[in-house]
Amino acid sequence: MDLQTLGWNDFFKETFFLYQEKGLHPGRVISRKNNNYVIICEEKLALAKITGKFRYNTQTNKDFPTVGDWVALEMKKQSSHLLIHAVLPRENAFVRKSPISGGRKLKEGVVIGGKTEEQIIASNINTAFIVIGLDNNFEIRRIERYLTLVYHSNINPVIILNKLDLCFSLDDYIKQVKDIAGMVPVHPISAEKGMNMDVFSNYLLPGKTVVFLGSSGVGKSTITNYLLGDEKQKKQSISKSTGKGRHTTTSVELILHHSNGMIIDTPGVRELQLWGDEEILDQSFEDIKQLIYHCKFNNCHHQKEPGCAIQKAIEDNLLSRSRFESYQKQLFELQRLRTKRRDFEKKLNKK
Ligand SMILES: Nc1nc2c(ncn2[C@@H]2O[C@H](COP(=O)(O)OP(=O)(O)OP(=O)(O)O)[C@@H](O)[C@H]2O)c(=O)[nH]1
Ligand SMILES: [Mg+2]
Ligand SMILES: [Zn+2]
């Protein structure tokens, strides 16, 4: 398998030039556990670790290698593992805000301190499948959050409505999704019953990487297993399973598919906190942004002001109140994040 089939392109080639002169080799990160990486390079899988210098010079989580990254490797003779010298610039990455950690304290019920950082789930991705279950856990507001982050990451979103076999009112669900997702492709499928599974062949193409995102239990791994058509993942997850019958994915993993495309399966996260500036809502809430543009006052709070286009749209049933509330919630979260990030960056610069 050549590098192109793994997603190597001119973008990476350009930045790799410097490392090539130093005799380093390119490879792509398949999985990570602490400082142990599995890398695919030169037609084989190998273990790798970052160099001491890399570790010393790296302050933030986002600068460590992540699944999907291209890295510059030293092949040491007679060593059990390769050495990662650098991460090549990413074409894109799916990021969320890390759950607060490190030195966090509660003061009068409010979290102070801790690290305000982004967490990179996976990188260099062509398509992000936002998976949701057509069962009792259908959460439209969650899709909105994923859409905000996927757009921000510069990845093409596709919405997968899984568990079609459990659904009796598909039209209703599709309408809800179309209302918030506009032109984003929406595919109803059932991984368990093998319904409409051929939609994936439009995305799983040689050299292309797709990622499955969504809450725990929506069926990301079931879809992945179906597509792989073998027992690879299942076997692995059974060994990790708690014996309760369900195999929760615990780490991000890149898997080669026989189409020569690549699949990244991710664990469903409990908290999907936003990361980015307030502008990241421009695409995921384009409808609301358009309306705000038509409010009479520039500084309209969309409460009871005269000439408020938002309130009018809600009255006329052109916009649902819950969607507007969801927009406000995300906006507020991003405003708070901006303040916290500023404080955290100040702290980093002082070091
Ligand atoms: N009825 C039905 N059940 C499904 C379908 N797809 C998946 N399931 C079931 O949903 C449960 C969760 O599936 P998983 O594939 O483990 O979900 P996941 O999204 O990978 O979950 P995490 O790894 O925890 O993030 C399993 O019991 C599956 O058998 C489907 O199309 N129909
Ligand atoms: Mg899973
Ligand atoms: Zn207004």
Side-chain angles (χ1 to χ4, degrees), residues 146 156 196:
Y146 274 105
N156 291 326
N196 300 342

Side-chain angles (χ1 to χ4, degrees), residues 284-329:
S284 45
F285 290 96
E286 204 188 341
D287 50 342
I288 290 183
K289 294 279 170 168
Q290 287 287 338
L291 286 169
I292 291 176
Y293 183 72
H294 288 103
C295 288
K296 189 170 169 193
F297 298 109
N298 275 342
N299 59 350
C300 186
H301 288 101
H302 323 300
Q303 304 287 323
K304 290 202 170 81
E305 287 96 334
C308 173
I310 293 283
Q311 290 305 331
K312 171 116 189 9
I314 293 175
E315 273 162 35
D316 295 348
N317 278 327
L318 296 171
L319 172 69
S320 76
R321 188 171 293 280
S322 52
R323 173 150 172 89
F324 180 60
E325 283 167 0
S326 162
Y327 164 78
Q328 283 185 306
K329 209 169 149 200

Side-chain angles (χ1 to χ4, degrees), residues 8-71:
W8 185 250
N9 60 32
D10 288 345
F11 176 84
F12 301 115
K13 222 183 268 172
E14 213 166 286
T15 48
F16 188 69
F17 181 69
L18 278 175
Y19 302 109
Q20 195 160 19
E21 284 183 336
K22 293 182 185 160
L24 301 178
H25 299 256
R28 197 164 185 204
V29 179
I30 298 271
S31 68
R32 170 188 183 179
K33 199 169 182 198
N34 302 320
N35 182 24
N36 297 302
Y37 296 86
V38 179
I39 306 280
I40 183 153
C41 62
E42 299 198 335
E43 320 213 343
K44 63 175 197 290
L45 293 178
L47 295 175
K49 291 178 191 283
I50 54 172
T51 62
K53 186 171 163 206
F54 187 124
R55 171 167 298 237
Y56 182 78
N57 288 330
T58 309
Q59 283 190 324
T60 50
N61 275 334
K62 74 171 196 316
D63 297 321
F64 285 93
T66 306
V67 172
D69 278 346
W70 284 95
V71 292

Side-chain angles (χ1 to χ4, degrees), residues 78-146:
Q78 291 161 349
S79 167
S80 62
H81 59 265
L82 314 178
L83 280 176
I84 301 175
H85 281 254
V87 175
L88 303 194
R90 297 167 177 136
E91 270 195 313
N92 61 36
F94 181 74
V95 297
R96 63 161 182 159
K97 182 178 165 299
S98 286
I100 295 272
S101 66
R104 97 180 187 163
K105 286 193 198 101
L106 272 180
K107 190 176 175 190
E108 288 158 8
V110 179
V111 179
I112 53 162
K115 293 180 179 174
T116 301
E117 280 197 276
E118 63 199 294
Q119 181 187 12
I120 304 205
I121 310 274
S123 71
N124 303 321
I125 295 157
N126 299 96
T127 304
F129 294 113
I130 302 169
V131 187
I132 191 156
L134 289 168
D135 51 11
N136 297 332
N137 297 316
F138 184 85
E139 290 175 85
I140 195 85
R141 305 275 84 97
R142 208 127 220 259
I143 304 189
E144 268 170 345
R145 297 181 82 76
Y146 274 105

Side-chain angles (χ1 to χ4, degrees), residues 217 219-222 233 246-250 265-268:
K220 300 177 295 296
S221 301
T222 311
Q233 257 218 330
R246 218 172 70 60
H247 314 303
T248 292
T249 309
T250 51
D265 188 14
T266 66

Side-chain angles (χ1 to χ4, degrees), residues 216-282:
S216 184
V218 295
K220 300 177 295 296
S221 301
T222 311
I223 300 171
T224 305
N225 284 331
Y226 184 98
L227 295 173
L228 293 174
D230 65 25
E231 300 288 299
K232 178 181 180 295
Q233 257 218 330
K234 228 179 261 172
K235 263 188 226 145
Q236 186 194 47
S237 39
I238 285 169
S239 61
K240 278 187 205 157
S241 95
T242 50
K244 286 184 196 141
R246 218 172 70 60
H247 314 303
T248 292
T249 309
T250 51
S251 63
V252 182
E253 196 190 356
L254 187 148
I255 304 157
L256 305 179
H257 184 250
H258 54 76
S259 62
N260 282 338
M262 285 146 287
I263 301 176
I264 302 180
D265 188 14
T266 66
V269 294
R270 194 166 301 139
E271 277 182 276
L272 187 71
Q273 295 191 55
L274 302 179
W275 181 268
D277 302 322
E278 284 134 56
E279 286 86 70
I280 74 171
L281 303 181
D282 286 0

Side-chain angles (χ1 to χ4, degrees), residues 140-255:
I140 195 85
R141 305 275 84 97
R142 208 127 220 259
I143 304 189
E144 268 170 345
R145 297 181 82 76
Y146 274 105
L147 274 177
T148 295
L149 287 176
V150 170
Y151 276 131
H152 170 52
S153 309
N154 235 337
I155 303 170
N156 291 326
V158 172
I159 296 173
I160 299 293
L161 306 176
N162 188 31
K163 310 196 184 182
L164 180 57
D165 54 301
L166 299 179
C167 170
F168 300 102
S169 51
L170 181 62
D171 291 349
D172 177 41
Y173 285 119
I174 296 219
K175 186 181 174 312
Q176 285 188 57
V177 175
K178 291 271 179 201
D179 277 352
I180 63 150
M183 303 301 283
V184 178
V186 182
H187 302 295
I189 63 153
S190 168
E192 196 136 290
K193 299 278 186 285
M195 294 156 80
N196 300 342
M197 293 300 282
D198 49 350
V199 297
F200 292 100
S201 58
N202 298 322
Y203 306 97
L204 273 170
L205 302 167
K208 303 289 180 205
T209 305
V210 306
V211 65
F212 285 101
L213 304 171
S215 307
S216 184
V218 295
K220 300 177 295 296
S221 301
T222 311
I223 300 171
T224 305
N225 284 331
Y226 184 98
L227 295 173
L228 293 174
D230 65 25
E231 300 288 299
K232 178 181 180 295
Q233 257 218 330
K234 228 179 261 172
K235 263 188 226 145
Q236 186 194 47
S237 39
I238 285 169
S239 61
K240 278 187 205 157
S241 95
T242 50
K244 286 184 196 141
R246 218 172 70 60
H247 314 303
T248 292
T249 309
T250 51
S251 63
V252 182
E253 196 190 356
L254 187 148
I255 304 157

